[in-house]
Amino acid sequence: VTWVSFHSSFSVLLIMALSNSSWRQPQPSFFLVGIPGLEESQHWIALPLGVLYLLALVGNVTIIFIIWTDSSLHQPMYLFLAMLAAIDLVLASSTAPKALTVLLAYAHEIGYIVCLTQMFFIHAFSSMESGILVAMALDRYVAICHPLRHSTILHPGIIGRIGMVVLLRGLVLLIPFPILLQNLVFCRATVISHAYCEHMAVVKLACSETVVNRAYGLSVALLVVGLDVLAIGISYALILQAVLKVPGGEARLKAFSTCGSHVCVILIFYIPGMFSFLTHRFGHHVPHHVHVLLATLYLLVPPALNPLVYGVKTRQIRQRVLRVFYTKASI
């Protein structure tokens, strides 16, 4: 809840700051194409995207509500899960509404400041999601390798500090994106071949020098993903080493099963993201509409599937959801 309210408050502040800093030169509006090359069938493409957004809203609100109201779930794993759900809500809500209006209502125009704000929140909260996945890997490492000290090491104060570090990292690394874009000159057609304002898609429209923007964007992507994947890899290498020392196949299986949900979420987030990033940078032979679809799905599929993964694989969450729906059905 705090993360979502922060999103709305910070978006207002960011819009005001960008508006005050852009008085020097008139700024253009942008035209979002949607899915280039598939304009005739965009309304059909919008249907599954709308379903994904609905799943993301219902699933993540349910996860947050259950963890918020059940004190027995105020444990590190579930508190990090609540943070992940809040980030997913912001990420999906920063992308889907405008994309759906473009595809369904043909509302292609988006203001300059609104475009930069959307771009900032999409990239910043993608970075935060990656950071929370690292925190969840740390939680699994402590739970399996130091079970007796788990609650001592990851007490509520530490969890709050980890969440604040993840939040600040996303803000500090990504706030230069819209600031650097403020220095670019757009003297050509401002048509974005995308369903939302993506950083490199906007940079490519500039007719001034964009070396700094491109270099910084690539550096942030490599830094965030590189360090986070390395940290997750080290955590799971240590977990694997500890589990293999446990005698008995049943004990090992139980230890591995506690990591199953997190591993699924990691794969759902990083594999489409890396594929989208690589095709955008180096996949010159990949059709552009394929890249746009992948980039859009990358922002909607993880928020839609993460609650389902944890709902199915985590017994406490599953039982609590069934209890809520059973109680309502009885009433």
Side-chain angles (χ1 to χ4, degrees):
V1 175
T2 305
W3 288 66
V4 178
S5 61
F6 169 83
H7 166 252
S8 58
S9 303
F10 190 81
S11 61
V12 173
L13 293 175
L14 183 62
I15 289 172
M16 291 174 62
L18 291 175
S19 300
N20 291 334
S21 64
S22 63
W23 65 269
R24 295 162 295 178
Q25 57 179 354
Q27 301 295 356
S29 293
F30 293 105
F31 184 93
L32 294 170
V33 172
I35 313 296
L38 299 177
E39 287 84 357
E40 297 300 321
S41 55
Q42 285 190 153
H43 56 287
W44 294 111
I45 296 172
L47 293 178
L49 296 183
V51 171
L52 288 174
Y53 182 47
L54 183 62
L55 284 174
L57 288 179
V58 174
N60 288 294
V61 168
T62 301
I63 291 289
I64 293 172
F65 173 77
I66 287 173
I67 294 173
W68 184 272
T69 56
D70 192 339
S71 58
S72 67
L73 297 179
H74 293 177
Q75 302 171 29
M77 183 177 81
Y78 301 110
L79 294 177
F80 286 133
L81 177 57
M83 292 181 192
L84 181 67
I87 290 170
D88 280 341
L89 273 177
V90 175
L91 195 57
S93 297
S94 298
T95 309
K98 183 57 185 177
L100 291 174
T101 58
V102 169
L103 299 178
L104 287 174
Y106 305 104
H108 296 279
E109 188 173 355
I110 184 171
Y112 178 80
I113 301 301
V114 176
C115 180
L116 296 193
T117 303
Q118 183 194 43
M119 180 203 67
F120 168 76
F121 276 102
I122 287 173
H123 291 289
F125 277 81
S126 294
S127 167
M128 292 178 202
E129 176 145 355
S130 182
I132 290 297
L133 292 179
V134 174
M136 296 173 86
L138 172 65
D139 170 64
R140 291 300 84 206
Y141 163 72
V142 175
I144 291 174
C145 299
H146 305 283
L148 299 180
R149 299 173 57 203
H150 185 216
S151 58
T152 305
I153 295 173
L154 290 178
H155 57 81
I158 289 294
I159 293 170
R161 292 189 191 101
I162 291 174
M164 189 57 64
V165 168
V166 169
L167 176 68
L168 291 176
R169 185 189 74 161
L171 298 181
V172 170
L173 287 179
L174 276 303
I175 196 67
F177 273 26
I179 293 174
L180 289 173
L181 280 170
Q182 289 281 94
N183 298 321
L184 299 183
V185 178
F186 298 92
C187 52
R188 295 199 299 264
T190 51
V191 177
I192 301 176
S193 298
H194 230 293
Y196 61 89
C197 287
E198 195 268 340
H199 177 247
M200 282 307 300
V202 177
V203 169
K204 288 178 179 179
L205 296 177
C207 53
S208 54
E209 185 56 63
T210 61
V211 172
V212 174
N213 301 75
R214 292 171 183 269
Y216 186 75
L218 181 61
S219 299
V220 168
L222 294 177
L223 178 68
V224 170
V225 176
L227 290 180
D228 288 356
V229 169
L230 178 63
I232 292 171
I234 291 172
S235 296
Y236 273 97
L238 294 173
I239 288 172
L240 182 62
Q241 185 181 41
V243 169
L244 292 178
K245 293 179 181 178
V246 175
E250 186 175 344
R252 291 180 185 177
L253 186 61
K254 184 178 179 181
F256 278 129
S257 67
T258 64
C259 301
S261 301
H262 185 239
V263 171
C264 289
V265 169
I266 289 172
L267 296 177
I268 290 169
F269 180 75
Y270 283 113
I271 290 178
M274 288 301 297
F275 189 73
S276 175
F277 174 78
L278 292 174
T279 56
H280 189 69
R281 295 277 178 173
F282 310 109
H284 303 297
H285 301 294
V286 177
H288 190 59
H289 67 269
V290 173
H291 165 69
V292 173
L293 279 171
L294 284 173
T296 307
L297 289 173
Y298 159 66
L299 296 174
L300 292 178
V301 170
L305 293 187
N306 287 349
L308 297 178
V309 169
Y310 274 97
V312 170
K313 287 187 165 289
T314 308
R315 179 175 55 83
Q316 292 88 335
I317 296 288
R318 185 173 64 250
Q319 288 178 345
R320 187 72 174 84
V321 171
L322 292 174
R323 196 185 315 156
V324 169
F325 282 105
Y326 177 76
T327 302
K328 289 185 176 181
S330 299
I331 295 174

